[in-house]
Amino acid sequence: MGTMSFFALLFVLATLPGVARRFLPPMPQADFREGPQAVVVLGAGLSKREGQYLLPAAGLRRVNMAIHVAEEMQLPLLISGGGKRPSGTPSEAELMAAALHAQWPEAVPWLEVESRNTWENAVFSARLLQQRGVQRIVLVTDRAHLCRATLCFQHQGIEVVPLAASRLPSPEWMPSAGALAMLPEIYYEWLAILWYYARYLR
């Protein structure tokens, strides 16, 4: 096989959801003897357009999933995310709460607005949860991010049922631009997990 043919084959494989799925960081085991007491959803950053901070598509996707689960299970909802932003601008959690109220006006979510990364999401959210007697949660974030996020919350003594707000396209063996687009995210997550083990999870 020539070099060009080899790289063409790699490219085709990278477009297959079934291949991308096998490179995702593994989901930590959930060990629940009782049901969850709250739903926690993590921010996905902020985007800026015409001087306004907005939620990216991932943030809207996550909060929509969290609303569905919290309503269905009749559980309180905690939205976690401060984001890296200038002082005085809205946090990820506040913008997600605004999106939540547009669909569920009577909801009164708990907000954690200081965290700047996944580790701080877990540390600051755990404090709020434990103050309210919550030890068991459904954790909502994107599938690639779930491994790192779950490990961080478990490290704070919180029991976690991980729930992905994103799904890979199907069927598994049908080429998809969505699968190819996930590869940089998967690569980033593996590097981030190694960094978190070195810095936080020892």
Side-chain angles (χ1 to χ4, degrees):
M1 181 185 293
T3 302
M4 291 298 294
S5 299
F6 175 73
F7 282 110
L9 176 61
L10 285 181
F11 179 81
V12 170
L13 289 173
T15 67
L16 301 178
V19 173
R21 185 172 286 111
R22 283 156 179 78
F23 284 102
L24 283 164
M27 297 279 276
Q29 290 296 312
D31 183 18
F32 259 43
R33 290 176 173 80
E34 299 179 64
Q37 300 164 293
V39 177
V40 177
V41 59
L42 305 186
L46 298 169
S47 60
K48 194 174 184 181
R49 186 183 308 157
E50 297 178 357
Q52 276 195 315
Y53 284 91
L54 304 170
L55 286 179
L60 289 170
R61 184 171 62 241
R62 293 179 190 183
V63 79
N64 287 337
M65 173 66 77
I67 292 168
H68 173 74
V69 175
E71 279 193 297
E72 185 174 285
M73 301 183 74
Q74 291 296 292
L75 293 173
L77 174 61
L78 187 153
I79 305 174
S80 175
K84 297 172 182 176
R85 68 196 197 283
S87 176
T89 58
S91 66
E92 297 169 359
E94 288 165 331
L95 288 178
M96 292 172 82
L100 164 70
H101 283 300
Q103 300 182 54
W104 190 7
E106 66 274 20
V108 184
W110 303 333
L111 300 185
E112 181 287 297
V113 300
E114 301 301 325
S115 57
R116 296 164 298 172
N117 58 35
T118 304
W119 178 255
E120 290 184 358
N121 285 146
V123 171
F124 300 154
S125 294
R127 290 177 190 165
L128 292 175
L129 294 168
Q130 288 160 354
Q131 287 168 6
R132 292 163 171 80
V134 174
Q135 288 293 129
R136 303 182 302 277
I137 65 167
V138 176
L139 180 62
V140 179
T141 186
D142 287 347
R143 171 60 186 88
H145 186 222
L146 263 176
C147 177
R148 179 161 54 108
T150 298
L151 290 170
C152 290
F153 274 82
Q154 289 177 337
H155 204 74
Q156 306 307 315
I158 301 294
E159 297 177 48
V160 177
V161 170
L163 179 64
S166 59
R167 298 280 190 276
L168 277 166
S170 60
E172 286 203 346
W173 304 109
M174 180 73 69
S176 162
L180 183 64
M182 276 196 71
L183 289 182
E185 184 181 359
I186 293 170
Y187 176 72
Y188 172 86
E189 280 301 320
W190 276 111
L191 290 179
I193 288 168
L194 291 174
W195 170 244
Y196 271 47
Y197 267 110
R199 184 170 184 184
Y200 300 122
L201 298 171
R202 292 178 292 180

